Amino acid sequence: MSADEIDWARRLAVDASRAMPLYHQLRERLRIAVREVEPDTPMPTERALMEFTGVSRATIRRAVADLVSEGLLVTRQGSGTYTAPARVPTELGRRPRGFTDTMARLGRQPSTKVLEAELVAASAEIAERLGLAAGDQVVVLERLRLLDGEPCMVERAHLPADLVPGLLDRDLDGSLYDTLSLQYGLVPAQGTESIVAVNADQRLARLLDIPMAAAVLATSRTTSTDSGTHLEYTLRHARGDRCSFLIELGASGGQLGDHSSLDPALRPALFT
């Protein structure tokens, strides 16, 4: 359904005689209405909403602000308010899958822009994540992941250089996991992933085309092969309006519990 097909005056009617505050009535009516509209649809202007509802601009703004904070609406400077874009779910807790594979399974068009690809000496922190000694060589691969041509996520992967000789000479625009599997016989089979919300710094905001200090979803992933060989340590920063993360609870052989330990590297934005 499009926004033009909704009878806003009827759907958003509020009753001043009720004990419930007007902004609360309006917010709940808006909540129902926007869920029936296609993602990324422009909403009526503040002036139009005032005409539909008969309430003040302050009441309109308060109700809309609540739905923006919940992620049901998004505001775009100089453009207006829109229903939130459809989020792309990424599964956490199952066998590790890469961005390209996940998006292809969902029928979306993934693409990649390589930002950095180099061989460096591992810091103590990176070495610990990968089961290496500090100073051992690692491949660092930072890429901007796009979905249907729009920036979606920045990934920074670290891999033991000894496992992937010649990786920097290969095409790195596609699936890294496919390259690891087909060229090196390395398949991510198990690992851990943590998630936290951080604020985008200037560089991350520019790369993802979002406002400075906007909230982004940040994850850290470590994976290994079936034989236990440490394979990758990857940090990802994803746009909250385009990505969501799905965690399967009570997986086979697992237990539910309090897993509150998060990678300290994610607490500030990674990029400076």
Side-chain angles (χ1 to χ4, degrees), residues 1-3 6 8 11-12 26-41 43 66-67 69-73 82-84 87:
M1 182 183 297
S2 70
I6 288 187
W8 292 102
R11 297 297 298 273
L12 302 182
L26 178 58
R27 182 190 65 196
E28 296 311 305
R29 289 182 175 275
L30 269 174
R31 186 196 308 279
I32 295 171
V34 301
R35 283 176 170 163
E36 298 178 1
V37 179
E38 293 295 323
D40 213 24
T41 297
M43 293 289 292
D66 280 0
L67 297 185
S69 68
E70 293 178 23
L72 293 178
L73 296 175
Y82 295 76
T83 55
R87 288 177 170 83

Side-chain angles (χ1 to χ4, degrees), residues 23-228:
Y23 98 88
H24 186 92
Q25 293 183 48
L26 178 58
R27 182 190 65 196
E28 296 311 305
R29 289 182 175 275
L30 269 174
R31 186 196 308 279
I32 295 171
V34 301
R35 283 176 170 163
E36 298 178 1
V37 179
E38 293 295 323
D40 213 24
T41 297
M43 293 289 292
T45 64
E46 285 185 352
R47 181 178 296 277
L49 289 175
M50 290 168 63
E51 293 175 355
F52 294 146
T53 62
V55 302
S56 69
R57 187 181 301 272
T59 299
I60 296 291
R61 288 182 173 177
R62 187 174 181 183
V64 169
D66 280 0
L67 297 185
V68 169
S69 68
E70 293 178 23
L72 293 178
L73 296 175
V74 295
T75 56
R76 296 171 185 167
Q77 188 172 3
S79 179
T81 303
Y82 295 76
T83 55
R87 288 177 170 83
V88 178
T90 298
E91 294 179 349
L92 302 179
R94 296 183 178 180
R95 189 180 185 91
R97 289 198 182 110
F99 175 84
T100 302
D101 179 44
T102 300
M103 297 308 106
R105 287 170 179 266
L106 295 172
R108 307 296 291 272
Q109 183 61 48
S111 57
T112 298
K113 178 181 179 181
V114 177
L115 303 175
E116 178 183 334
E118 61 179 344
L119 196 64
V120 303
S123 66
E125 178 188 359
I126 300 300
E128 181 180 0
R129 303 283 181 181
L130 294 174
L132 303 174
D136 284 353
Q137 295 288 289
V138 296
V139 172
V140 176
L141 177 60
E142 183 182 76
R143 301 186 295 173
L144 176 64
R145 314 309 295 268
L146 300 99
L147 188 60
D148 301 328
E150 296 293 330
C152 175
M153 181 186 303
V154 175
E155 291 183 341
R156 189 175 182 87
H158 309 76
L159 305 102
D162 287 349
L163 293 181
V164 288
L167 178 64
L168 296 179
D169 298 323
R170 298 185 181 278
D171 180 9
L172 300 174
D173 291 335
S175 168
L176 178 61
Y177 279 9
D178 281 353
T179 298
L180 293 176
S181 174
L182 297 174
Q183 302 299 328
Y184 300 98
L186 300 169
V187 178
Q190 55 197 352
T192 62
E193 190 154 9
S194 64
I195 181 171
V196 67
V198 300
N199 297 110
D201 63 12
Q202 187 174 21
R203 179 173 184 261
L204 191 55
R206 173 175 55 82
L207 289 171
L208 292 178
D209 193 24
I210 55 177
M212 176 76 169
V216 296
L217 300 174
T219 72
S220 70
R221 170 185 287 191
T222 58
T223 64
S224 58
T225 65
D226 275 326
S227 64

